[in-house]
Amino acid sequence: MFVVVEMVDTVRIPPWNFHRQLNDAIAEELNKKLANKVVYNVGLCICLYDITKLEDSYIFPGDGASHTKVHFRYVVFHPFLDEILVGKIKYCSQEGVHVSLGFFDDILIPPESLQQPTKFDEAEQVWVWEYETDEGAHDLYMDQGEEIRFRVVDELFLDTSPTGPSTDPDAPASRSNTSTAPTATTEPTDDSTQKKEAPYTLMASISEPGLGLLSWWSS
């Protein structure tokens, strides 16, 4: 679930931290920059493990801070495929069952990866496993807050770094010598309607014996 990743970065130390030990100041700056952040194709950064090498520090003209190239190792949350984890159900939706590990919430179990047959209860907003027995079907609800054991089957990384304004290459360049020009009206965009995409998502499955709610298999 957790791995140690080797990284290299240039760390800027402001002048008011020059009185501190260099390693301590660099460790603080690295944790400020990386802790609880997702690095693309690496995983969710947790905390600094150690510093392996410090190169020479430089002070550039116009900037009183020191700049040091640092080789270090960082603890990263990046479970391997087919790893079995235990979390809690955050909520259910038509997309599937959303699971949280406490420090990481972007885990989705899609409907086709649930125990079958299942149905979505619109009134309760929960997924239900219609467990077949000799006495008939029993509805096993996947309620919010229940502990659930799942298998990691896929991971999705999304580059959420800022981008510049989009330009339409097919839009003709307007150039007119007349005194009047047409005015274009633009409709304001509502940022609240834009869904925030998660930079790192785990896709999971419980469609095999022993997986699912812990209460299902406790007896």
Side-chain angles (χ1 to χ4, degrees), residues 10-37:
T10 299
V11 178
R12 179 182 183 273
I13 305 298
W16 50 85
N17 282 335
F18 284 174
H19 68 283
R20 302 181 58 188
Q21 290 290 333
L22 183 58
N23 279 33
D24 294 340
I26 287 177
E28 180 179 333
E29 292 298 324
L30 286 174
N31 281 324
K32 282 182 181 179
K33 183 177 182 179
L34 295 174
N36 204 31
K37 304 290 194 307

Side-chain angles (χ1 to χ4, degrees), residues 115-180:
Q115 295 277 7
Q116 301 298 325
T118 57
K119 64 180 180 180
F120 185 68
D121 190 323
E122 291 284 354
E124 298 288 340
Q125 289 293 300
V126 295
W127 283 93
V128 183
W129 179 21
E130 299 174 304
Y131 181 63
E132 295 289 343
T133 66
D134 295 336
E135 301 175 354
H138 289 269
D139 290 344
L140 301 179
Y141 288 80
M142 304 180 200
D143 292 319
Q144 180 179 354
E146 289 283 350
E147 289 189 313
I148 186 170
R149 181 184 293 113
F150 58 91
R151 181 187 298 276
V152 178
V153 295
D154 198 9
E155 60 183 12
L156 302 173
F157 282 95
L158 179 67
D159 189 0
T160 57
S161 57
T163 57
S166 60
T167 58
D168 185 1
D170 298 329
S174 61
R175 181 165 57 187
S176 174
N177 293 327
T178 60
S179 58
T180 60

